[in-house]
Amino acid sequence: MTRILVSKSNAIIPFISSFYILRSSSIRPYSSLKGKVGVRINVENEVKCLDDAVSLFNRMVRMKPLPPLPFFCKLLKTVINMKHYYAVISLFREMRGIPFNVVTFTTLIRGLFAENKVTDAVVLFKNLVREKICEPNEIMYGTVMNGLSKRGHTEKTLSLLRLMEQGNTKPNIYIYSVVIDAFCKDRNLDAAISILNEMKQKGIPPGIVTYSSLIDGLCKLGQWEKVKTLFSEMVNLNIYPNVLTFSILIDGLCKEGKVEDAEEVMRHMIEKGVEPNIITYSVIMDGYCLRGQVDRARRVFDIMIDKCIEPNIFSYNILINGYCEKKEVAKAMQLLGEISQKGLKPETATILSCMMLSAGPKPNIYTHSTVIDGYFRYRLVEEAMSLFNKLERKRENTNIAFYTVVINGLCKNGKLDEAQSVFEKLSLIGLPPNVRTYNTMITGFCRQGLLDEAKSMLRKMKKNSCLPDNVTYNVFVQGFLRWSKFSEMRTFMVEMADRGFSFDASTAGFLVNVVRENPSVLDMIPELHSKNKY
């Protein structure tokens, strides 16, 4: 029997939603369909409430043959739109014998990653493999590995590669390229080149994407001789740089302040018949702005428009920030007005920069904290850390609240190692963490399932005379619930009650969801009956 097991009840919602990545044309033919006895079924007309949906579902599963899979998906989507999420879970689990194949599950996993439900995506994948529900193919492996690598889980990505090498589904060029790109993003070029050599030894020739990732990593480390070597190797293999490869090289040169060289590369790419795109022009604009040459950046901006390439929000933000750095408020505000007229949405930090300049105050640590928090909220981690590092180098007056913002942003963006590195540095600079800082790190560990590390942080917290508060205990309880560590949760609940703390609304809601999925949890935590009435 094919069943889908998930760790949390609300995790199923993105699964069903992601069915609708399927082309609408593949669903439309089944929106109206005749049943076993010739009765026409139409979801739009028949389903007005949950009872209608359940009734229709029961009729469908009794049909022989069963209706096609997209039709079930349409019905489940309708129930989701009614916000009857637990009903969706129940219906989904009753879909026995319906042929969910590897393509369907890959679509579900991709949808989970798109919703940033990384843990649920991994749990689903593991269940598929462990329970032999379906045999993952290269595309499914690639989807999981790409989703993990983009969120900084390089070691897990590498582990999946090794798992593939031992199984029936062997890694292809795409799989190896994902791993190489992950190592390059981590600036671990030795490991990336080692994987490249493995590819070659196994007779898998690297492609343009593989080389582009390596060139990007080498550019960021300023290893220009190795970049030239890779370019030569590509050409010798009849692999010619595309616009992405050239743009990566141009960006690397601009970051080193070699903007004239970057423009020379752009002229060369045009001669070779490769037309620059919006990214190419934008990185050159950024290079000039980094050198304070905003007028030259504006010249590139205008050339881009003359070539009928429409500026995007990224290009506008580069130029606006450039004008802000030069204190040219009027020009910055003019561009901001253009953005508004075109219906584009500027970054929080861009608006804030313009507002600060027009008002005239000198930015302080609270302003910088707001900007950094804005970057993190929009997943602009590099920009956030660039400003953070700049402030540290300038020895700006900082406080523990400022560092907590940075640690929190890193944790929420899956950069737990970097967050811990910043945390460990606090004692060295004479800033003792407060309860909020500890809670932030503990939350990060619990969300990743690193409960031992979270408990270690709690011990360190107590050792440093920083007493845990209600938030601390609620974070732990949610962590234990999320990862089904009910016996450990019981111990924590006893301590929690002894200290006079109780569940907050978030934890209570979390517990209700878990109990609906697994009523036996109540028997594991009898304290609920006597100490937590809600």
Side-chain angles (χ1 to χ4, degrees):
M1 179 180 68
T2 299
R3 295 190 68 180
I4 293 179
L5 305 177
V6 291
S7 58
K8 303 194 295 273
S9 56
N10 61 354
I12 200 71
I13 306 310
F15 289 4
I16 309 302
S17 300
S18 61
F19 273 117
Y20 284 78
I21 299 172
L22 295 170
R23 295 180 183 275
S24 58
S25 60
S26 68
I27 295 173
R28 207 171 286 126
Y30 306 117
S31 61
S32 180
L33 150 96
K34 286 188 178 180
K36 180 181 176 183
V37 294
V39 178
R40 187 169 294 278
I41 298 172
N42 189 295
V43 173
E44 290 86 351
N45 293 338
E46 292 196 37
V47 178
K48 303 299 181 185
C49 63
L50 180 58
D51 287 342
D52 292 341
V54 173
S55 176
L56 177 57
F57 178 85
N58 289 333
R59 286 166 55 199
M60 287 166 57
V61 294
R62 287 195 297 269
M63 290 180 183
K64 293 181 181 179
L66 286 169
L69 175 62
F71 190 58
F72 280 97
C73 297
K74 189 174 186 66
L75 176 59
L76 292 174
K77 177 66 175 176
T78 302
V79 180
I80 288 171
N81 290 339
M82 295 177 182
K83 301 189 185 302
H84 292 297
Y85 300 127
Y86 298 110
V88 173
I89 299 167
S90 299
L91 294 177
F92 197 79
R93 287 176 169 174
E94 290 300 319
M95 294 170 75
R96 304 173 183 180
I98 295 174
F100 288 99
N101 57 24
V102 68
V103 176
T104 306
F105 284 118
T106 300
T107 305
L108 299 179
I109 290 170
R110 188 179 295 114
L112 280 174
F113 277 117
E115 295 281 337
N116 208 32
K117 304 284 187 181
V118 180
T119 301
D120 295 328
V122 173
V123 167
L124 172 58
F125 176 75
K126 286 181 177 179
N127 282 332
L128 294 177
V129 176
R130 185 169 54 244
E131 300 188 19
K132 298 181 180 179
I133 295 172
C134 74
E135 178 74 22
N137 61 10
E138 296 93 338
I139 298 174
M140 180 181 284
Y141 272 110
T143 301
V144 176
M145 292 168 71
N146 189 51
L148 289 171
S149 69
K150 287 188 181 306
R151 289 156 183 83
H153 300 295
T154 303
E155 290 304 317
K156 291 180 181 177
T157 306
L158 179 62
S159 295
L160 276 179
L161 171 66
R162 300 308 182 207
L163 181 67
M164 284 188 75
E165 289 172 338
Q166 296 167 11
N168 297 324
T169 305
K170 299 300 180 186
N172 56 18
I173 182 174
Y174 174 75
I175 297 293
Y176 278 109
S177 297
V178 167
V179 179
I180 287 171
D181 185 64
F183 278 122
C184 288
K185 292 284 193 298
D186 287 349
R187 303 198 173 195
N188 189 348
L189 268 296
D190 290 339
I193 291 171
S194 175
I195 297 292
L196 176 69
N197 292 332
E198 281 186 30
M199 282 180 69
K200 293 176 180 177
Q201 289 169 6
K202 293 179 180 180
I204 302 174
I208 186 66
V209 175
T210 321
Y211 279 109
S212 296
S213 295
L214 286 163
I215 288 168
D216 184 39
L218 291 169
C219 285
K220 285 175 178 174
L221 294 176
Q223 297 183 12
W224 300 107
E225 289 303 317
K226 289 184 179 180
V227 171
K228 291 178 184 177
T229 302
L230 275 185
F231 260 90
S232 300
E233 185 178 312
M234 285 173 64
V235 175
N236 290 336
L237 292 171
N238 293 322
I239 300 172
Y240 295 99
N242 59 15
V243 65
L244 172 64
T245 318
F246 277 117
S247 297
I248 286 169
L249 178 57
I250 289 168
D251 184 46
L253 289 167
C254 288
K255 292 286 195 297
E256 293 268 321
K258 302 173 181 178
V259 192
E260 288 81 6
D261 292 343
E263 288 217 64
E264 182 62 35
V265 170
M266 187 165 75
R267 282 190 288 271
H268 175 74
M269 69 184 279
I270 294 171
E271 288 172 6
K272 294 294 181 183
V274 182
E275 284 298 317
N277 61 13
I278 182 73
I279 297 173
T280 320
Y281 285 109
S282 295
V283 295
I284 289 181
M285 287 168 52
D286 192 42
Y288 278 126
C289 286
L290 288 172
R291 295 203 318 191
Q293 297 173 304
V294 188
D295 291 339
R296 287 197 177 188
R298 180 62 194 238
R299 175 178 61 81
V300 174
F301 183 83
D302 292 336
I303 289 171
M304 182 173 70
I305 293 174
D306 290 342
K307 289 185 176 287
C308 298
I309 297 175
E310 185 70 20
N312 59 15
I313 192 62
F314 181 60
S315 358
Y316 273 112
N317 280 332
I318 288 170
L319 207 50
I320 290 171
N321 288 328
Y323 281 131
C324 287
E325 288 287 333
K326 300 289 286 184
K327 305 294 189 291
E328 298 186 38
V329 185
K331 292 180 179 178
M333 295 299 285
Q334 180 187 0
L335 286 175
L336 200 59
E338 281 185 32
I339 290 177
S340 179
Q341 289 174 0
K342 291 186 176 184
L344 299 174
K345 188 175 180 180
E347 294 172 4
T348 304
T350 303
I351 298 174
L352 186 56
S353 296
C354 289
M355 290 175 61
M356 289 187 334
L357 280 172
S358 59
K362 180 180 178 181
N364 57 26
I365 191 60
Y366 302 105
T367 311
H368 287 309
S369 295
T370 303
V371 173
I372 287 175
D373 185 55
Y375 277 135
F376 278 126
R377 285 176 186 273
Y378 286 95
R379 307 191 68 78
L380 301 170
V381 180
E382 287 190 16
E383 289 82 351
M385 293 308 292
S386 175
L387 177 55
F388 170 67
N389 292 330
K390 180 180 176 183
L391 294 171
E392 279 209 314
R393 284 195 300 271
K394 286 185 174 181
R395 299 176 183 271
E396 294 277 343
N397 289 329
T398 53
N399 56 27
I400 192 60
F402 169 76
Y403 278 94
T404 302
V405 166
V406 175
I407 292 168
N408 184 54
L410 288 169
C411 287
K412 286 185 175 178
N413 282 276
K415 304 287 184 181
L416 197 54
D417 289 342
E418 292 181 37
Q420 192 168 7
S421 177
V422 173
F423 179 87
E424 297 298 340
K425 188 164 57 176
L426 293 175
S427 58
L428 301 176
I429 60 176
L431 276 178
N434 60 19
V435 65
R436 189 172 181 181
T437 318
Y438 280 112
N439 286 343
T440 301
M441 279 304 307
I442 289 170
T443 302
F445 285 131
C446 286
R447 282 178 177 165
Q448 295 290 329
L450 302 171
L451 299 178
D452 288 340
E453 286 83 349
K455 287 186 284 186
S456 175
M457 187 62 66
L458 178 63
R459 288 192 294 272
K460 184 182 292 186
M461 182 180 185
K462 293 176 179 177
K463 181 181 177 182
N464 292 332
S465 302
C466 183
L467 294 178
D469 60 6
N470 197 52
V471 173
T472 317
Y473 284 101
N474 274 278
V475 167
F476 268 108
V477 170
Q478 289 187 32
F480 292 135
L481 284 170
R482 180 178 283 112
W483 299 99
S484 302
K485 302 290 184 180
F486 302 124
S487 60
E488 293 183 62
M489 181 184 69
R490 179 189 183 118
T491 303
F492 256 79
M493 285 177 56
V494 171
E495 183 179 332
M496 184 179 185
D498 288 344
R499 291 178 177 269
F501 296 128
S502 59
F503 290 169
D504 59 21
S506 175
T507 305
F510 205 121
L511 182 60
V512 168
N513 289 340
V514 172
V515 169
R516 278 175 174 165
E517 273 292 290
N518 186 3
S520 63
V521 171
L522 281 174
D523 298 328
M524 302 177 196
I525 44 176
E527 285 82 358
L528 274 176
H529 301 297
S530 58
K531 296 184 179 178
N532 290 283
K533 306 277 188 184
Y534 50 86

PDB file of all heavy atoms in Angstrom, residues 132-157:
ATOM      1  N   LYS A 132      10.453   2.011   0.264  1.00  0.00           N
ATOM      2  CA  LYS A 132      10.446   1.508  -1.125  1.00  0.00           C
ATOM      3  C   LYS A 132       9.141   1.846  -1.829  1.00  0.00           C
ATOM      4  O   LYS A 132       8.560   1.031  -2.558  1.00  0.00           O
ATOM      5  CB  LYS A 132      10.696   0.001  -1.146  1.00  0.00           C
ATOM      6  CG  LYS A 132      12.056  -0.381  -0.565  1.00  0.00           C
ATOM      7  CD  LYS A 132      12.298  -1.871  -0.605  1.00  0.00           C
ATOM      8  CE  LYS A 132      13.673  -2.197  -0.014  1.00  0.00           C
ATOM      9  NZ  LYS A 132      13.952  -3.652  -0.002  1.00  0.00           N
ATOM     10  N   ILE A 133       8.656   3.058  -1.580  1.00  0.00           N
ATOM     11  CA  ILE A 133       7.427   3.515  -2.234  1.00  0.00           C
ATOM     12  C   ILE A 133       7.687   3.733  -3.722  1.00  0.00           C
ATOM     13  O   ILE A 133       6.863   3.404  -4.571  1.00  0.00           O
ATOM     14  CB  ILE A 133       6.902   4.809  -1.570  1.00  0.00           C
ATOM     15  CG1 ILE A 133       6.488   4.499  -0.122  1.00  0.00           C
ATOM     16  CG2 ILE A 133       5.737   5.389  -2.347  1.00  0.00           C
ATOM     17  CD1 ILE A 133       6.139   5.714   0.699  1.00  0.00           C
ATOM     18  N   CYS A 134       8.838   4.310  -4.045  1.00  0.00           N
ATOM     19  CA  CYS A 134       9.255   4.422  -5.439  1.00  0.00           C
ATOM     20  C   CYS A 134      10.768   4.556  -5.478  1.00  0.00           C
ATOM     21  O   CYS A 134      11.380   4.978  -4.496  1.00  0.00           O
ATOM     22  CB  CYS A 134       8.584   5.596  -6.155  1.00  0.00           C
ATOM     23  SG  CYS A 134       9.225   7.210  -5.678  1.00  0.00           S
ATOM     24  N   GLU A 135      11.357   4.190  -6.601  1.00  0.00           N
ATOM     25  CA  GLU A 135      12.814   4.247  -6.760  1.00  0.00           C
ATOM     26  C   GLU A 135      13.188   5.639  -7.269  1.00  0.00           C
ATOM     27  O   GLU A 135      12.792   6.036  -8.367  1.00  0.00           O
ATOM     28  CB  GLU A 135      13.270   3.188  -7.776  1.00  0.00           C
ATOM     29  CG  GLU A 135      14.766   3.193  -8.041  1.00  0.00           C
ATOM     30  CD  GLU A 135      15.581   2.599  -6.892  1.00  0.00           C
ATOM     31  OE1 GLU A 135      15.012   1.828  -6.091  1.00  0.00           O
ATOM     32  OE2 GLU A 135      16.778   2.915  -6.798  1.00  0.00           O
ATOM     33  N   PRO A 136      13.938   6.424  -6.486  1.00  0.00           N
ATOM     34  CA  PRO A 136      14.332   7.761  -6.956  1.00  0.00           C
ATOM     35  C   PRO A 136      15.169   7.663  -8.227  1.00  0.00           C
ATOM     36  O   PRO A 136      16.032   6.794  -8.335  1.00  0.00           O
ATOM     37  CB  PRO A 136      15.154   8.317  -5.790  1.00  0.00           C
ATOM     38  CG  PRO A 136      14.791   7.488  -4.613  1.00  0.00           C
ATOM     39  CD  PRO A 136      14.463   6.135  -5.138  1.00  0.00           C
ATOM     40  N   ASN A 137      14.909   8.570  -9.169  1.00  0.00           N
ATOM     41  CA  ASN A 137      15.750   8.635 -10.360  1.00  0.00           C
ATOM     42  C   ASN A 137      16.688   9.842 -10.266  1.00  0.00           C
ATOM     43  O   ASN A 137      16.729  10.526  -9.241  1.00  0.00           O
ATOM     44  CB  ASN A 137      14.886   8.688 -11.626  1.00  0.00           C
ATOM     45  CG  ASN A 137      13.980   9.914 -11.651  1.00  0.00           C
ATOM     46  OD1 ASN A 137      14.106  10.817 -10.825  1.00  0.00           O
ATOM     47  ND2 ASN A 137      13.062   9.940 -12.589  1.00  0.00           N
ATOM     48  N   GLU A 138      17.426  10.095 -11.352  1.00  0.00           N
ATOM     49  CA  GLU A 138      18.394  11.193 -11.320  1.00  0.00           C
ATOM     50  C   GLU A 138      17.730  12.534 -11.048  1.00  0.00           C
ATOM     51  O   GLU A 138      18.286  13.385 -10.351  1.00  0.00           O
ATOM     52  CB  GLU A 138      19.160  11.276 -12.657  1.00  0.00           C
ATOM     53  CG  GLU A 138      20.021  10.076 -12.960  1.00  0.00           C
ATOM     54  CD  GLU A 138      19.265   9.055 -13.812  1.00  0.00           C
ATOM     55  OE1 GLU A 138      18.007   9.073 -13.798  1.00  0.00           O
ATOM     56  OE2 GLU A 138      19.924   8.237 -14.474  1.00  0.00           O
ATOM     57  N   ILE A 139      16.521  12.701 -11.586  1.00  0.00           N
ATOM     58  CA  ILE A 139      15.838  13.988 -11.419  1.00  0.00           C
ATOM     59  C   ILE A 139      15.428  14.202  -9.968  1.00  0.00           C
ATOM     60  O   ILE A 139      15.571  15.297  -9.420  1.00  0.00           O
ATOM     61  CB  ILE A 139      14.619  14.072 -12.361  1.00  0.00           C
ATOM     62  CG1 ILE A 139      15.076  13.979 -13.821  1.00  0.00           C
ATOM     63  CG2 ILE A 139      13.838  15.361 -12.129  1.00  0.00           C
ATOM     64  CD1 ILE A 139      13.944  13.901 -14.823  1.00  0.00           C
ATOM     65  N   MET A 140      14.923  13.149  -9.326  1.00  0.00           N
ATOM     66  CA  MET A 140      14.539  13.297  -7.922  1.00  0.00           C
ATOM     67  C   MET A 140      15.756  13.579  -7.050  1.00  0.00           C
ATOM     68  O   MET A 140      15.732  14.479  -6.197  1.00  0.00           O
ATOM     69  CB  MET A 140      13.807  12.052  -7.418  1.00  0.00           C
ATOM     70  CG  MET A 140      13.391  12.170  -5.948  1.00  0.00           C
ATOM     71  SD  MET A 140      12.545  10.724  -5.292  1.00  0.00           S
ATOM     72  CE  MET A 140      10.922  10.909  -6.007  1.00  0.00           C
ATOM     73  N   TYR A 141      16.821  12.802  -7.254  1.00  0.00           N
ATOM     74  CA  TYR A 141      18.052  13.064  -6.502  1.00  0.00           C
ATOM     75  C   TYR A 141      18.528  14.499  -6.737  1.00  0.00           C
ATOM     76  O   TYR A 141      18.908  15.206  -5.799  1.00  0.00           O
ATOM     77  CB  TYR A 141      19.151  12.090  -6.919  1.00  0.00           C
ATOM     78  CG  TYR A 141      19.173  10.790  -6.153  1.00  0.00           C
ATOM     79  CD1 TYR A 141      18.822   9.595  -6.772  1.00  0.00           C
ATOM     80  CD2 TYR A 141      19.561  10.749  -4.818  1.00  0.00           C
ATOM     81  CE1 TYR A 141      18.851   8.382  -6.069  1.00  0.00           C
ATOM     82  CE2 TYR A 141      19.582   9.555  -4.111  1.00  0.00           C
ATOM     83  CZ  TYR A 141      19.225   8.373  -4.749  1.00  0.00           C
ATOM     84  OH  TYR A 141      19.258   7.203  -4.045  1.00  0.00           O
ATOM     85  N   GLY A 142      18.516  14.912  -7.996  1.00  0.00           N
ATOM     86  CA  GLY A 142      18.973  16.266  -8.325  1.00  0.00           C
ATOM     87  C   GLY A 142      18.135  17.338  -7.661  1.00  0.00           C
ATOM     88  O   GLY A 142      18.658  18.353  -7.192  1.00  0.00           O
ATOM     89  N   THR A 143      16.816  17.099  -7.592  1.00  0.00           N
ATOM     90  CA  THR A 143      15.909  18.061  -6.946  1.00  0.00           C
ATOM     91  C   THR A 143      16.235  18.203  -5.462  1.00  0.00           C
ATOM     92  O   THR A 143      16.312  19.323  -4.924  1.00  0.00           O
ATOM     93  CB  THR A 143      14.446  17.614  -7.121  1.00  0.00           C
ATOM     94  OG1 THR A 143      14.147  17.523  -8.515  1.00  0.00           O
ATOM     95  CG2 THR A 143      13.492  18.584  -6.457  1.00  0.00           C
ATOM     96  N   VAL A 144      16.422  17.075  -4.783  1.00  0.00           N
ATOM     97  CA  VAL A 144      16.739  17.116  -3.350  1.00  0.00           C
ATOM     98  C   VAL A 144      18.110  17.752  -3.121  1.00  0.00           C
ATOM     99  O   VAL A 144      18.270  18.621  -2.251  1.00  0.00           O
ATOM    100  CB  VAL A 144      16.714  15.693  -2.751  1.00  0.00           C
ATOM    101  CG1 VAL A 144      17.144  15.710  -1.288  1.00  0.00           C
ATOM    102  CG2 VAL A 144      15.329  15.080  -2.878  1.00  0.00           C
ATOM    103  N   MET A 145      19.091  17.354  -3.907  1.00  0.00           N
ATOM    104  CA  MET A 145      20.456  17.866  -3.720  1.00  0.00           C
ATOM    105  C   MET A 145      20.542  19.350  -4.033  1.00  0.00           C
ATOM    106  O   MET A 145      21.194  20.111  -3.321  1.00  0.00           O
ATOM    107  CB  MET A 145      21.431  17.069  -4.586  1.00  0.00           C
ATOM    108  CG  MET A 145      21.576  15.624  -4.121  1.00  0.00           C
ATOM    109  SD  MET A 145      22.425  14.559  -5.293  1.00  0.00           S
ATOM    110  CE  MET A 145      24.094  15.193  -5.160  1.00  0.00           C
ATOM    111  N   ASN A 146      19.843  19.779  -5.082  1.00  0.00           N
ATOM    112  CA  ASN A 146      19.834  21.196  -5.423  1.00  0.00           C
ATOM    113  C   ASN A 146      19.158  22.011  -4.324  1.00  0.00           C
ATOM    114  O   ASN A 146      19.641  23.095  -3.945  1.00  0.00           O
ATOM    115  CB  ASN A 146      19.112  21.403  -6.752  1.00  0.00           C
ATOM    116  CG  ASN A 146      19.243  22.816  -7.271  1.00  0.00           C
ATOM    117  OD1 ASN A 146      20.326  23.365  -7.362  1.00  0.00           O
ATOM    118  ND2 ASN A 146      18.122  23.412  -7.618  1.00  0.00           N
ATOM    119  N   GLY A 147      18.049  21.488  -3.799  1.00  0.00           N
ATOM    120  CA  GLY A 147      17.356  22.191  -2.715  1.00  0.00           C
ATOM    121  C   GLY A 147      18.207  22.316  -1.470  1.00  0.00           C
ATOM    122  O   GLY A 147      18.224  23.367  -0.812  1.00  0.00           O
ATOM    123  N   LEU A 148      18.940  21.257  -1.137  1.00  0.00           N
ATOM    124  CA  LEU A 148      19.826  21.301   0.038  1.00  0.00           C
ATOM    125  C   LEU A 148      21.005  22.231  -0.179  1.00  0.00           C
ATOM    126  O   LEU A 148      21.364  23.026   0.695  1.00  0.00           O
ATOM    127  CB  LEU A 148      20.322  19.885   0.349  1.00  0.00           C
ATOM    128  CG  LEU A 148      19.292  18.899   0.921  1.00  0.00           C
ATOM    129  CD1 LEU A 148      19.869  17.497   0.966  1.00  0.00           C
ATOM    130  CD2 LEU A 148      18.846  19.331   2.318  1.00  0.00           C
ATOM    131  N   SER A 149      21.627  22.139  -1.360  1.00  0.00           N
ATOM    132  CA  SER A 149      22.845  22.931  -1.605  1.00  0.00           C
ATOM    133  C   SER A 149      22.547  24.420  -1.608  1.00  0.00           C
ATOM    134  O   SER A 149      23.349  25.220  -1.128  1.00  0.00           O
ATOM    135  CB  SER A 149      23.493  22.519  -2.931  1.00  0.00           C
ATOM    136  OG  SER A 149      22.694  22.909  -4.030  1.00  0.00           O
ATOM    137  N   LYS A 150      21.387  24.801  -2.130  1.00  0.00           N
ATOM    138  CA  LYS A 150      21.035  26.229  -2.182  1.00  0.00           C
ATOM    139  C   LYS A 150      20.787  26.802  -0.794  1.00  0.00           C
ATOM    140  O   LYS A 150      20.752  28.015  -0.629  1.00  0.00           O
ATOM    141  CB  LYS A 150      19.807  26.441  -3.067  1.00  0.00           C
ATOM    142  CG  LYS A 150      20.105  26.283  -4.546  1.00  0.00           C
ATOM    143  CD  LYS A 150      18.923  26.686  -5.378  1.00  0.00           C
ATOM    144  CE  LYS A 150      19.183  26.510  -6.864  1.00  0.00           C
ATOM    145  NZ  LYS A 150      20.388  27.183  -7.341  1.00  0.00           N
ATOM    146  N   ARG A 151      20.620  25.934   0.184  1.00  0.00           N
ATOM    147  CA  ARG A 151      20.402  26.393   1.554  1.00  0.00           C
ATOM    148  C   ARG A 151      21.604  26.097   2.442  1.00  0.00           C
ATOM    149  O   ARG A 151      21.499  26.094   3.660  1.00  0.00           O
ATOM    150  CB  ARG A 151      19.118  25.761   2.107  1.00  0.00           C
ATOM    151  CG  ARG A 151      17.886  26.359   1.444  1.00  0.00           C
ATOM    152  CD  ARG A 151      16.682  25.445   1.498  1.00  0.00           C
ATOM    153  NE  ARG A 151      15.559  26.038   0.789  1.00  0.00           N
ATOM    154  CZ  ARG A 151      15.378  25.959  -0.522  1.00  0.00           C
ATOM    155  NH1 ARG A 151      16.243  25.283  -1.265  1.00  0.00           N
ATOM    156  NH2 ARG A 151      14.342  26.540  -1.100  1.00  0.00           N
ATOM    157  N   GLY A 152      22.740  25.843   1.831  1.00  0.00           N
ATOM    158  CA  GLY A 152      23.992  25.723   2.567  1.00  0.00           C
ATOM    159  C   GLY A 152      24.281  24.359   3.153  1.00  0.00           C
ATOM    160  O   GLY A 152      25.233  24.214   3.920  1.00  0.00           O
ATOM    161  N   HIS A 153      23.484  23.333   2.806  1.00  0.00           N
ATOM    162  CA  HIS A 153      23.702  21.996   3.366  1.00  0.00           C
ATOM    163  C   HIS A 153      24.630  21.189   2.452  1.00  0.00           C
ATOM    164  O   HIS A 153      24.236  20.181   1.865  1.00  0.00           O
ATOM    165  CB  HIS A 153      22.365  21.274   3.549  1.00  0.00           C
ATOM    166  CG  HIS A 153      21.419  21.970   4.476  1.00  0.00           C
ATOM    167  ND1 HIS A 153      21.664  22.134   5.826  1.00  0.00           N
ATOM    168  CD2 HIS A 153      20.228  22.579   4.248  1.00  0.00           C
ATOM    169  CE1 HIS A 153      20.656  22.781   6.383  1.00  0.00           C
ATOM    170  NE2 HIS A 153      19.782  23.074   5.443  1.00  0.00           N
ATOM    171  N   THR A 154      25.867  21.649   2.358  1.00  0.00           N
ATOM    172  CA  THR A 154      26.804  21.050   1.406  1.00  0.00           C
ATOM    173  C   THR A 154      27.159  19.614   1.775  1.00  0.00           C
ATOM    174  O   THR A 154      27.216  18.733   0.904  1.00  0.00           O
ATOM    175  CB  THR A 154      28.086  21.904   1.323  1.00  0.00           C
ATOM    176  OG1 THR A 154      27.723  23.241   0.966  1.00  0.00           O
ATOM    177  CG2 THR A 154      29.048  21.350   0.285  1.00  0.00           C
ATOM    178  N   GLU A 155      27.386  19.352   3.052  1.00  0.00           N
ATOM    179  CA  GLU A 155      27.776  18.000   3.468  1.00  0.00           C
ATOM    180  C   GLU A 155      26.658  16.992   3.201  1.00  0.00           C
ATOM    181  O   GLU A 155      26.908  15.858   2.792  1.00  0.00           O
ATOM    182  CB  GLU A 155      28.167  17.986   4.954  1.00  0.00           C
ATOM    183  CG  GLU A 155      29.478  18.695   5.254  1.00  0.00           C
ATOM    184  CD  GLU A 155      30.645  18.142   4.433  1.00  0.00           C
ATOM    185  OE1 GLU A 155      30.749  16.920   4.295  1.00  0.00           O
ATOM    186  OE2 GLU A 155      31.437  18.947   3.908  1.00  0.00           O
ATOM    187  N   LYS A 156      25.411  17.412   3.414  1.00  0.00           N
ATOM    188  CA  LYS A 156      24.284  16.517   3.130  1.00  0.00           C
ATOM    189  C   LYS A 156      24.180  16.259   1.627  1.00  0.00           C
ATOM    190  O   LYS A 156      23.828  15.156   1.189  1.00  0.00           O
ATOM    191  CB  LYS A 156      22.975  17.124   3.658  1.00  0.00           C
ATOM    192  CG  LYS A 156      22.902  17.165   5.175  1.00  0.00           C
ATOM    193  CD  LYS A 156      21.596  17.781   5.642  1.00  0.00           C
ATOM    194  CE  LYS A 156      21.548  17.847   7.174  1.00  0.00           C
ATOM    195  NZ  LYS A 156      20.308  18.508   7.650  1.00  0.00           N
ATOM    196  N   THR A 157      24.485  17.298   0.846  1.00  0.00           N
ATOM    197  CA  THR A 157      24.466  17.140  -0.613  1.00  0.00           C
ATOM    198  C   THR A 157      25.519  16.128  -1.048  1.00  0.00           C
ATOM    199  O   THR A 157      25.259  15.244  -1.883  1.00  0.00           O
ATOM    200  CB  THR A 157      24.734  18.500  -1.290  1.00  0.00           C
ATOM    201  OG1 THR A 157      23.811  19.468  -0.788  1.00  0.00           O
ATOM    202  CG2 THR A 157      24.579  18.409  -2.791  1.00  0.00           C
TER     203      THR A 157
END
